[in-house]
Amino acid sequence: MATLSGPVTGGDRGWPFGAAAFDLTALGYVEEEYFFEGEAVRYRHAAGTTRSQDGHWSAEVAGSAPFKTRMLVRRPVDPARFNGTVVALWNNVSRGFDIFVGESPEIYRGGFAIAFISVQRVGVHGFPLKPERGLIEWDKARYGTLSIPNDDYAYDIYTQAARLIGPDRPRGAVDPLGGLKVRKVVAAGVSQSAVKLVTYLNAIQPAEKTFDAFFIHLFFGNGSLLEDPRADDPVVKRVEDIMPLAKLMPPGSHLVRDDLGVPVFVMNSETESVLHYPVRRADSDTYRFWEVTGVGHGSATGASKIPSNEPRDLGITRHEMAPGGAPHNVLTHEPVNSAALAHLQRWLTEGVPPPVQPRIEFAGDPPRPVRDANGIAVGGIRLPQVAVPTARHTGVDDDGVLEMFGTSVPFSYEKLHQLYASPADWRRKLEQAADAAVAAGYLLKVDADAIVEEAIKA
């Protein structure tokens, strides 16, 4: 097992990269950073096996190398506030630095602990042509000793991190959970990290049995390679932004396996729907799939609830790929994420699975989302603003082309007049849709009330 050190302090900047940009103390939480280091193995698909479409993969060790990286841990101060579950977030690095996408208010409302784990080389070293966003260049005095050989080692680094925060973690002088009694560890990853996490689930979890559940968010349907032959390719080494990375993603789609006896929860936006459609699988005792209609992959993030660290740490005020103005999607899937996390906790602790939700309807050849008279996809989880719309909200265009930030095109006054007898009529229907979403289980009451309030103010 890796050696743990910390809490880490000092450095040229005096705070950890990604430190909360909101008042954790007011929420009853503390934040600490830890380093961990050791020997990590890399894997390859076992001899005679392939990255098969059924997702039933087998891995074998292909080598080892030393590593040193970090995790940033937030936990309740009061043990009575802790719900017993740690969320192990595989940090997304698609923009050349550690991104804590996937965090939600329910983490803190529900009493979870969360560990933001730097498992990929880019998060530590940055893009080869843009290293200043990696941890080492961002603060050499703090992070200069960190090192990850390449992403082939990420899977084992993630395993070792999880064991340092789990129920059977070492109980020496250094404890990232501050003595809290951990009962469950949930693997979580979003977008690029979901690609890695699904490969971990399909190939590594069967042998290591590290995690008690998997929360996979915004998954296009194609997992990463265990042993990437392009790791030392000069083209890959020249990558400095998200688009070349996207083009280098492995082709083909495959099922997410559900036969390992642990809950697996996949939650997607409309943007992933077309690519994910060929590998949809039925809900089961250990698998749930939720799909949020009318929301884009990178649409509004709910930053007013959890402000981003990016303006402070990197001077970034908007995503580099985000459109400069309308008609990008103004909705967010974050409230559904919160409801899903609450359901996942109940699934883990009480054995009550999340409710089954409708999926986006498809038709045609090639299959594409069916759209209603308002141009909004039919079926799926429908936020109140989608169920009672004042705009056409989408996550893919009519030809099924990805719209990473989606679109929200306001209806004309004439269209609104056709749909609603008066502003009061619209408000009444919006409130009814919010109540229905709570009853269906895909919104928590606190978030449904906030959605109505914000929509009325807009």
Side-chain angles (χ1 to χ4, degrees):
M1 183 178 289
T3 302
L4 191 68
S5 60
V8 179
T9 58
D12 292 330
R13 296 178 184 263
W15 72 86
F17 184 89
F22 53 96
D23 190 353
L24 278 174
T25 303
L27 299 174
Y29 273 68
V30 64
E31 176 181 76
E32 294 174 332
E33 185 177 53
Y34 294 84
F35 291 162
F36 63 106
E37 60 187 304
E39 193 85 2
V41 301
R42 57 184 174 85
Y43 297 95
R44 61 185 170 220
H45 291 280
T49 68
T50 62
R51 185 170 152 269
S52 56
Q53 202 268 352
D54 66 6
H56 289 212
W57 302 347
S58 180
E60 62 184 17
V61 173
S64 64
F67 77 94
K68 183 177 181 181
T69 188
R70 65 102 185 218
M71 66 174 78
L72 188 66
V73 180
R74 298 175 188 164
R75 56 176 172 82
V77 176
D78 182 358
R81 280 266 291 118
F82 181 48
N83 69 7
T85 297
V86 182
V87 176
L89 187 72
W90 184 308
N91 291 346
N92 185 301
V93 297
S94 61
R95 294 165 61 201
F97 57 91
D98 274 353
I99 311 169
F100 295 170
V101 61
E103 186 183 13
S104 72
E106 185 59 20
I107 292 287
Y108 309 103
R109 294 187 308 222
F112 293 84
I114 184 167
F116 304 93
I117 306 170
S118 302
V119 297
Q120 289 183 253
R121 179 176 172 84
V122 167
V124 171
H125 299 269
F127 283 136
L129 296 184
K130 195 178 286 185
E132 65 273 12
R133 290 185 175 185
L135 293 174
I136 292 173
E137 289 296 321
W138 187 79
D139 191 332
K140 286 185 178 179
R142 190 181 187 105
Y143 298 120
T145 62
L146 303 188
S147 177
I148 293 177
N150 62 51
D151 283 1
D152 288 354
Y153 297 90
Y155 306 101
D156 190 43
I157 292 172
Y158 191 53
T159 297
Q160 295 191 48
R163 289 176 175 159
L164 292 171
I165 57 177
D168 300 321
R169 68 191 185 278
R171 295 302 188 96
V174 181
D175 181 4
L177 276 301
L180 294 178
K181 185 178 180 179
V182 176
R183 291 185 287 273
K184 305 290 183 181
V185 181
V186 173
V190 181
S191 188
Q192 179 258 301
S193 301
V195 170
K196 298 286 188 180
L197 194 60
V198 167
T199 293
Y200 187 101
L201 167 62
N202 284 355
I204 311 301
Q205 175 72 9
E208 297 294 339
K209 299 179 174 59
T210 308
F211 294 97
D212 299 291
F214 286 76
F215 189 27
I216 299 159
H217 192 184
L218 307 184
F219 176 56
F220 284 105
N222 61 331
S224 55
L225 302 168
L226 278 174
E227 191 174 39
D228 193 339
R230 304 162 303 182
D232 295 317
D233 187 298
V235 174
V236 179
K237 287 187 173 182
R238 290 199 300 272
V239 166
E240 61 174 326
D241 60 56
I242 187 173
M243 289 313 294
L245 276 181
K247 293 175 182 177
L248 289 166
M249 290 298 290
S253 57
H254 55 76
L255 293 170
V256 175
R257 66 189 302 170
D258 70 342
D259 64 331
L260 302 179
V262 299
V264 177
F265 203 143
V266 178
M267 194 194 109
N268 277 355
S269 77
E270 184 183 316
T271 302
E272 300 83 48
S273 64
V274 173
L275 289 180
H276 188 272
Y277 180 75
V279 290
R280 276 184 177 180
R281 69 176 316 142
D283 292 303
S284 70
D285 291 342
T286 57
Y287 183 82
R288 278 295 177 275
F289 176 67
W290 283 10
E291 199 166 39
V292 188
T293 302
V295 178
H297 182 90
S299 56
T301 60
S304 60
K305 297 178 182 178
I306 299 184
S308 171
N309 65 287
E310 293 175 16
R312 178 199 63 212
D313 291 349
L314 295 172
I316 298 173
T317 56
R318 58 186 293 272
H319 195 297
E320 298 88 337
M321 289 177 62
H328 65 84
N329 200 293
V330 298
L331 305 181
T332 172
H333 37 69
E334 186 285 316
V336 182
N337 183 43
S338 280
L341 188 59
H343 281 296
L344 183 56
Q345 175 67 4
R346 191 179 181 200
W347 201 0
L348 276 171
T349 59
E350 302 176 33
V352 179
V356 173
Q357 300 294 348
R359 301 177 177 191
I360 294 173
E361 294 183 19
F362 276 71
D365 184 15
R368 294 289 182 260
V370 176
R371 298 199 176 276
D372 63 19
N374 297 319
I376 297 173
V378 174
I381 287 174
R382 307 180 81 77
L383 294 168
Q385 307 98 309
V386 172
V388 186
T390 58
R392 182 183 191 246
H393 303 292
T394 66
V396 292
D397 72 11
D398 292 337
D399 293 323
V401 176
L402 305 185
E403 293 176 339
M404 295 292 284
F405 293 87
T407 61
S408 290
V409 181
F411 293 152
S412 66
Y413 175 80
E414 290 75 18
K415 176 77 169 177
L416 291 172
H417 187 67
Q418 291 172 3
L419 291 172
Y420 310 109
S422 65
D425 178 46
W426 166 77
R427 175 173 178 166
R428 176 179 58 81
K429 290 178 177 176
L430 186 73
E431 291 171 343
Q432 289 174 343
D435 290 342
V438 173
Y442 60 81
L443 284 183
L444 302 175
K445 183 67 163 61
V446 61
D447 293 319
D449 290 345
I451 284 172
V452 171
E453 182 179 353
E454 291 167 9
I456 291 171
K457 286 180 179 179

